[in-house]
Structure formats: structure tokens, C-alpha cells
């Protein structure tokens, strides 16, 4: 099996109410940059291929090409209007394995083509689910929630994968994700078994990409690309799930309403209920909205139901898994400053952190670091503000 069984980066595009979410253009931008370097290094001509599913969606192809796609393969069908996982999985897998499509993209390599080389999905609520089911269909692996990607040649010796012998894995996608509370990078590789006794391929090398981490390329209205229609095979069996009505539930937390946002994290642990009430008082003084770190949304501490249902909820999470904010003032109390949290608040104009641990990474992200426990610091801040009647 040669490497040229695989080619191109396929980017799965996701529409919400017929519109492109920003992560789509970010993925295309990253794919474009990776592939430009790849083609130079390996003297090849592989393509960025966008997969677009929906109903009346062809006109979106132009935007995708302007943002880096060489080809857009679109499937237009009334049954694809809303994302139904079973149907989307089937159609994306059909496109990924389709030899006719592959021939249209690169006729010179059509005979060898088996599957895409790499495949990207957005790591949002739809993409996280869809990526896993598509990769089951394509019988390969998936790295989820990735925020750094590189392509390189890696020399590896592994008891099973390489039968204990050193093997060079060319064109390997190194997929990085922050783990262990965001303080350690994990590199995930999806490698073929090259051991003759258990030979097996693992392509496409695939991942879901965290929104907001990669830059789109500058759109170029003169970029050339090709748009190809794909006619999916959808049978009765696939149509068992029907969407009868659809309603987007709007967040009740409006971070744009306020100039100031106060977030709290696991540092509330010693007196959770009391500390949250203190934070409420400070928020009142500052006319601020209240945010939380991701672990708080998992309700890690026992507090009254009214506090828990108001604050310990996903809607208030700041970071890669929640909201991106840019207030005039951001106060982080009891928050360590993991990179996923920082990603959500780094555009704040002025940042104050309250934390007893001077070595917390949040110290590097703030304009004022108040070393101390929130139980001691917040009452003093409130007292001082009341004296000065300070209102933002
Ligand atoms: C894929 C993925 C996505 C993620 N997405 C997000 C995300 O969107 N948002 C997010 O926030 N996290 C996210 N995380 C989790 C993230 O990695 C961290 O685990 C999390 O942000 C840590 O939360 P924390 O700061 O509340 O807790 P900790 O890291 O436990 O920090 C608690 C802090 O409180 C301080 N403290 C202790 N006592 C007090 C006191 N009395 N007063 C004041 N401070 C005190 C401590 O010194 C410490 O710095 C994600 C993780 C993964 C793997």
C-alpha cells in the first residue's frame, strides 16, 4: 500500500440556519496554509476540498473558494436542510470514498485513490458528534478538540505498529490538544499498522478543531476553484428520524449587555455558596455580568438550587467551550488561567485577577494581580467601591 492511496485535505463545512459559522473559514484557512507548505515540501499538487451539505446551498461555494478551498463538493437535497446525524454521516462518508469525485479532483491519481488523506471538522456541538460517526464509517481514528496542527515525517519504532523496527511515517498529521486542565500538550497521531502480520490502514487522519484558534485567510474574490455536485444515495431507512419543528434556544446570559464581567472558578471551593454571594455583590457594584470556568458548569460543589441553576450552567462558561468575550473590565476570581479559558477572555481591555497563588498562569494574562483569597479581597473591594460610589 503506497501513500498515494490518499490525497487532499477534506474540510467538512457546517451550516447553521443556512449560514456559515466562523469555524468553517478558520478550518479552511488552516488547511490552505498546511497544504501550501505540504505541496512545496513534497512537490505535490494536493487540494483543499470543502464538503458542503444542505438545501439550496450552492451559492455558499463562492465564499468557500475565496477562503481557500480548491474544490467544493456539494450535496443539495431537501432532506439535508437540517443536520440529522445519521444522514449526514452517510453522505459525508459516500463523498469521502467516491472514486468519481476523486477522479474529477485529480485524474492522475484516480486509480490509487482510497480515501482522503486528512479530514477536518469543527469542534462544536454538531461537529463533535458528526466527526466521530463519520470516522467510524471510514474506519479510522479521530482526535477531538484540536488547537494546533502540523504535518511532518516521523521516525517511529513500535512493538505492534512497526513490528519493533524503525519506520518513517511520511506526511503525518500531528494533532495537538491541551490536556490535564490545559497545562500539558498532548500530540495525537493516527498511524497505519505497518507490521506485516497486522497490516491495516488508518486514513483519513482526522480531527475536530476548536473554534477561534486558527485565522481564516484574507478572502480573495479572484481565487479560482471548482464546484462539483454530488447526488447522495438516501434510502427509506435513513429517513426514520424526522425533524417536526426546530427552535433555537437563545442564551439568557447576555455578556454584551455589560462593560464588566466577573468570572469565578474552582477557587470558590472553601465556601462555595458564601463566595458566590460575595461575587454577586461585587457584580452589582460594577453592573457586571457573571461568567464561570468550565468545571463550574459541571456543578462541582454543593450549593442551593437557586444558585446552582443560575450560575453553574454551560451558558455562562467563558472559553473555547463557551463564549468569547471582550468587556472593558474582566475580573477573574478563583480561576487559574488554563489556555482554554484564556482563549475566551484574552480580548478583554483590562483584566484583574484575584488568586492566592502567584504562580497561576492567570497572572500573565492580567493588568492587576491581587494576591489573596477572594473571601478576604472581595469584601474590601466592595467596601472601597461603596465609599467611592464607583460605577462602571
Ligand atoms: C477540550 C477542553 C476544552 C475546555 N474548555 C474550557 C473552557 O471553555 N473554559 C474553561 O474555563 N475551561 C475549559 N477547559 C478546562 C480547563 O482546561 C481548566 O481545567 C479549567 O479552566 C480550570 O478551571 P478553574 O480555573 O476554575 O480551576 P483550577 O484550575 O482548579 O483553578 C482554581 C484557582 O483558584 C485559586 N484559588 C484557590 N483558592 C482560592 C481562593 N480562596 N480565592 C481565590 N482563588 C483561589 C487557585 O490558586 C487556582 O489558581 C477545557 C478543557 C478541555 C480539555
Amino acid at each position: 500500500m503506497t501513500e498515494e492511496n490518499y490525497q487532499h485535505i477534506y474540510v467538512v463545512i457546517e451550516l447553521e440556519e443556512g449560514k456559515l459559522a466562523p469555524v468553517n473559514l478558520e478550518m479552511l484557512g488552516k488547511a490552505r496554509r498546511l497544504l501550501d507548505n505540504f505541496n512545496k515540501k513534497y512537490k505535490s499538487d494536493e487540494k483543499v476540498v470543502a464538503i458542503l451539505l444542505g438545501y439550496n446551498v450552492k451559492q455558499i461555494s463562492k465564499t468557500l473558494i475565496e477562503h481557500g478551498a480548491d474544490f467544493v463538493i456539494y450535496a443539495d437535497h431537501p432532506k439535508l436542510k437540517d443536520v440529522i446525524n445519521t444522514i449526514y454521516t452517510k453522505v459525508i462518508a459516500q463523498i469521502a470514498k467516491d472514486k468519481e469525485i476523486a477522479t474529477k479532483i485529480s485524474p492522475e491519481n484516480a486509480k490509487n485513490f482510497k480515501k482522503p488523506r486528512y479530514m477536518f471538522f469543527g469542534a462544536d456541538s454538531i461537529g463533535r458528534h458528526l466527526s466521530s460517526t463519520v470516522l467510524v464509517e471510514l474506519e479510522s481514528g479521530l482526535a477531538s478538540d484540536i488547537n494546533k496542527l502540523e504535518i511532518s515525517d516521523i521516525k517511529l519504532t513500535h512493538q505492534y505498529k512497526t513490528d519493533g523496527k524503525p519506520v518513517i511515517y511520511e506526511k503525518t498529521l500531528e494533532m495537538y490538544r491541551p490536556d490535564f486542565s490545559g497545562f500539558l500538550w498532548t500530540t495525537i497521531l493516527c498511524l497505519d499498522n505497518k507490521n506485516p502480520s497486522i497490516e491495516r490502514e488508518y486514513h483519513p487522519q482526522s480531527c475536530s478543531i476548536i473554534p477561534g484558534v486558527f485565522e481564516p485567510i484574507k478572502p480573495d474574490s479572484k481565487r479560482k476553484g471548482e464546484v462539483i455536485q454530488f447526488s447522495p444515495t438516501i434510502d427509506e431507512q435513513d429517513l426514520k428520524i424526522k425533524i417536526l419543528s426546530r427552535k433555537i434556544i437563545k442564551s439568557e446570559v447576555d455578556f454584551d449587555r455589560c462593560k464588566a464581567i466577573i468570572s469565578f472558578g474552582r477557587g470558590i471551593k472553601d465556601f462555595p455558596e458564601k463566595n458566590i454571594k460575595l461575587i454577586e455583590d461585587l457584580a452589582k457594584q460594577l453592573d457586571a455580568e457573571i461568567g464561570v470556568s468550565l468545571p463550574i458548569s459541571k456543578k462541582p460543589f454543593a450549593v442551593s438550587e437557586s444558585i446552582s441553576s443560575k450560575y453553574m450552567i454551560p451558558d455562562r462558561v467563558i472559553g473555547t467551550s463557551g463564549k468569547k468575550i471582550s468587556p472593558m473590565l474582566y475580573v477573574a476570581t478563583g480561576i487559574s488561567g488554563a489556555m482554554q479559558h484564556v482563549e475566551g477572555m484574552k480580548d478583554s481591555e483590562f483584566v484583574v485577577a484575584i488568586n492566592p497563588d502567584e504562580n497561576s498562569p492567570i497572572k500573565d494574562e492580567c493588568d492587576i494581580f491581587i494576591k489573596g483569597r477572594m473571601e478576604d479581597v472581595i469584601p474590601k473591594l466592595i467596601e472601597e467601591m461603596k465609599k467611592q460610589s464607583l460605577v462602571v
Side-chain angles (χ1 to χ4, degrees):
M1 195 178 294
T2 70
E3 296 222 66
E4 272 44 51
N5 284 326
Y6 314 107
Q7 55 192 1
H8 314 314
I9 301 182
Y10 282 44
V11 179
V12 176
I13 302 299
E14 196 185 291
L15 300 177
E16 179 60 54
E17 299 285 291
K19 291 203 180 76
L20 283 168
V23 70
N24 294 290
L25 305 185
E26 293 159 14
M27 289 194 290
L28 283 176
K30 185 64 190 172
R32 184 71 272 150
R33 289 186 190 97
L34 280 171
L35 210 53
D36 286 346
N37 288 336
F38 178 104
N39 284 335
K40 213 192 261 169
K41 179 173 172 187
Y42 297 106
K43 298 186 176 43
S44 55
D45 185 26
E46 300 208 7
K47 310 289 185 193
V48 174
V49 181
I51 300 184
L52 176 64
L53 270 53
Y55 187 43
N56 292 332
V57 289
K58 189 181 174 191
Q59 78 285 356
I60 293 169
S61 307
K62 185 172 179 300
T63 310
L64 303 176
I65 291 167
E66 284 174 4
H67 284 83
D70 298 306
F71 283 84
V72 178
I73 315 298
Y74 77 98
D76 207 291
H77 195 287
K79 297 292 176 206
L80 296 174
K81 185 167 177 280
D82 295 310
V83 181
I84 295 179
N85 194 274
T86 44
I87 304 180
Y88 265 58
T89 298
K90 192 169 178 177
V91 177
I92 293 167
Q94 284 170 6
I95 293 173
K97 290 192 256 187
D98 194 275
K99 290 216 160 52
E100 228 175 274
I101 294 278
T103 309
K104 283 184 186 158
I105 298 173
S106 35
E108 72 285 359
N109 212 16
K111 265 200 213 137
N112 297 328
F113 178 78
K114 282 186 77 169
K115 284 191 228 168
R117 188 186 294 285
Y118 312 119
M119 206 162 183
F120 297 168
F121 297 79
D124 53 18
S125 52
I126 290 174
R128 278 188 178 124
H129 186 191
L130 192 59
S131 53
S132 61
T133 48
V134 169
L135 267 296
V136 169
E137 279 296 310
L138 298 179
E139 297 183 70
S140 187
L142 173 78
S144 61
D145 293 316
I146 292 306
N147 63 359
K148 190 175 156 199
L149 287 166
E150 278 167 22
I151 296 171
S152 56
D153 300 335
I154 294 175
K155 189 173 178 183
L156 210 108
T157 308
H158 188 272
Q159 189 181 358
Y160 302 110
K161 287 228 171 251
T162 71
D163 199 15
K165 298 181 183 89
V167 168
I168 306 249
Y169 280 90
E170 274 200 345
K171 304 169 186 169
T172 299
L173 187 64
E174 292 183 46
M175 301 174 275
Y176 294 80
R177 56 171 281 157
D179 269 315
F180 296 101
S181 285
F183 299 113
L184 198 76
W185 287 97
T186 310
T187 316
I188 300 173
L189 309 175
C190 188
L191 302 171
D192 297 342
N193 286 349
K194 302 213 179 188
N195 179 344
S197 63
I198 47 168
E199 202 166 320
R200 183 186 182 311
E201 60 98 31
Y202 286 95
H203 278 80
Q205 299 175 33
S206 307
C207 61
S208 62
I209 292 177
I210 292 179
V213 290
F214 296 125
E215 285 284 316
I217 61 166
K218 217 169 145 239
D220 176 359
S221 56
K222 294 196 188 84
R223 266 200 98 248
K224 293 259 177 306
E226 244 181 84
V227 180
I228 301 173
Q229 182 167 19
F230 177 78
S231 303
T233 313
I234 300 173
D235 55 40
E236 274 308 305
Q237 190 68 10
D238 304 318
L239 302 176
K240 276 186 181 163
I241 298 170
K242 290 191 173 55
I243 295 182
L244 301 178
S245 75
R246 196 166 182 280
K247 190 170 144 202
I248 294 182
I249 300 164
K250 275 202 124 190
S251 168
E252 281 174 24
V253 185
D254 181 8
F255 284 118
D256 297 332
R257 177 186 70 85
C258 297
K259 292 177 184 159
I261 294 167
I262 304 179
S263 288
F264 65 88
R266 282 193 288 215
I268 60 164
K269 63 184 184 330
D270 292 338
F271 308 98
E273 180 108 14
K274 217 169 128 199
N275 282 336
I276 295 175
K277 288 195 170 142
L278 266 183
I279 290 155
E280 269 185 329
D281 281 352
L282 181 60
K284 225 180 262 167
Q285 289 300 317
L286 290 167
D287 187 25
E289 188 51 270
I290 295 181
V292 297
S293 66
L294 182 69
I296 293 295
S297 69
K298 313 267 185 325
K299 307 187 192 295
F301 307 113
V303 290
S304 60
E305 173 54 26
S306 59
I307 289 273
S308 163
S309 60
K310 189 165 182 193
Y311 296 115
M312 295 179 162
I313 52 171
D315 254 7
R316 292 195 186 265
V317 172
I318 308 288
T320 53
S321 311
K323 306 249 165 63
K324 223 175 161 166
I325 50 158
S326 49
M328 270 171 68
L329 173 67
Y330 185 67
V331 183
T333 174
I335 287 183
S336 57
M339 61 180 88
Q340 298 96 340
H341 185 82
V342 170
E343 200 56 52
M345 51 63 71
K346 65 179 185 206
D347 294 335
S348 307
E349 274 180 44
F350 196 85
V351 178
V352 178
I354 304 166
N355 198 309
D357 179 6
E358 265 189 282
N359 295 318
S360 286
I362 194 74
K363 192 168 177 222
D364 299 329
E365 306 297 331
C366 65
D367 299 283
I368 295 180
F369 182 79
I370 305 176
K371 184 181 172 188
R373 292 159 49 80
M374 65 177 88
E375 296 86 338
D376 306 324
V377 175
I378 295 180
K380 287 198 177 116
L381 280 177
I382 294 174
E383 197 187 309
E384 202 53 40
M385 275 178 213
K386 279 185 178 160
K387 265 195 230 157
Q388 298 186 17
S389 312
L390 187 70
V391 179
V392 174

